[in-house]
Amino acid sequence: MPNAYLKMSSPVGQLTLVASETALKAVLWENEKPGRVPIELGPEKPDHPVLKAAAKQLNAYFKGEITTFDLPLDPVGSAFQLEVWRTLATIPYGQTLSYGELALRVGRPKAARAVGAANGKNPLSIVLPCHRVIGANGQLTGFANGLEAKSKLLALENPNK
């Protein structure tokens, strides 16, 4: 069965949610760079249960009503990418981590650049919070939808900063 998709509006632009029959596979940006997330879109299915649940949870996240997601996920990537993406889910809401710290958490302390590359290919943006990863100096660095969107997401999670 081909992947289904659903488009939704958000404070950081239009998102395209992509799911298999049983799990969310991607959250893609409005101005998605071709090839960043190699995934085929099937038909648009606004009534797809996984897509409906993902849209509902993302809307609740943007309203500040939830801080974590409870969705079946099925990202496609290398073993290393999958490990990095799983580790993203452990970064608490409202907190940030440097690429070096993320590399330590995945057991590859000298692999900050590789972690950064894996982070950049994260197919489940927002749900697996790659926006919470920042430069060692505390500055915002690279983000698939641009630094303005990254800044908005971090501000949404930490409005007092």
Side-chain angles (χ1 to χ4, degrees):
M1 177 179 207
N3 294 322
Y5 75 93
L6 168 70
K7 292 187 181 281
M8 67 173 280
S9 296
S10 83
V12 289
Q14 186 177 61
L15 301 174
T16 300
L17 313 180
V18 185
S20 66
E21 195 172 325
T22 59
L24 187 65
K25 298 193 73 69
V27 176
L28 305 175
W29 301 103
E30 186 171 359
N31 299 310
E32 187 70 42
K33 183 178 174 182
R36 185 185 77 82
V37 176
I39 193 165
E40 286 190 37
L41 297 183
E44 185 169 14
K45 289 198 171 181
D47 61 338
H48 187 292
V50 173
L51 295 173
K52 281 174 57 175
K56 181 179 179 183
Q57 288 185 36
L58 281 161
N59 281 321
Y61 165 83
F62 289 124
K63 291 177 185 171
E65 297 170 353
I66 66 169
T67 59
T68 59
F69 296 92
D70 182 20
L71 298 163
L73 305 178
D74 186 22
V76 175
S78 70
F80 177 73
Q81 288 172 325
L82 292 169
E83 180 63 24
V84 169
W85 301 337
R86 275 191 297 274
T87 305
L88 291 173
T90 68
I91 305 171
Y93 180 89
Q95 294 184 26
T96 58
L97 199 68
S98 73
Y99 291 97
E101 291 168 320
L102 185 58
L104 279 171
R105 286 193 183 183
V106 297
R108 305 269 301 272
K110 296 183 189 249
R113 286 181 189 256
V115 162
N119 206 44
K121 299 273 188 183
N122 173 17
L124 289 160
S125 298
I126 306 169
V127 174
L128 295 178
C130 52
H131 60 278
R132 295 179 190 154
V133 183
I134 60 174
N137 61 1
Q139 297 297 308
L140 299 187
T141 59
F143 191 60
N145 197 38
L147 295 183
E148 183 179 339
K150 186 172 191 166
S151 180
K152 278 185 181 180
L153 291 169
L154 291 172
L156 176 128
E157 292 185 12
N158 208 337
N160 299 325
K161 274 195 172 179

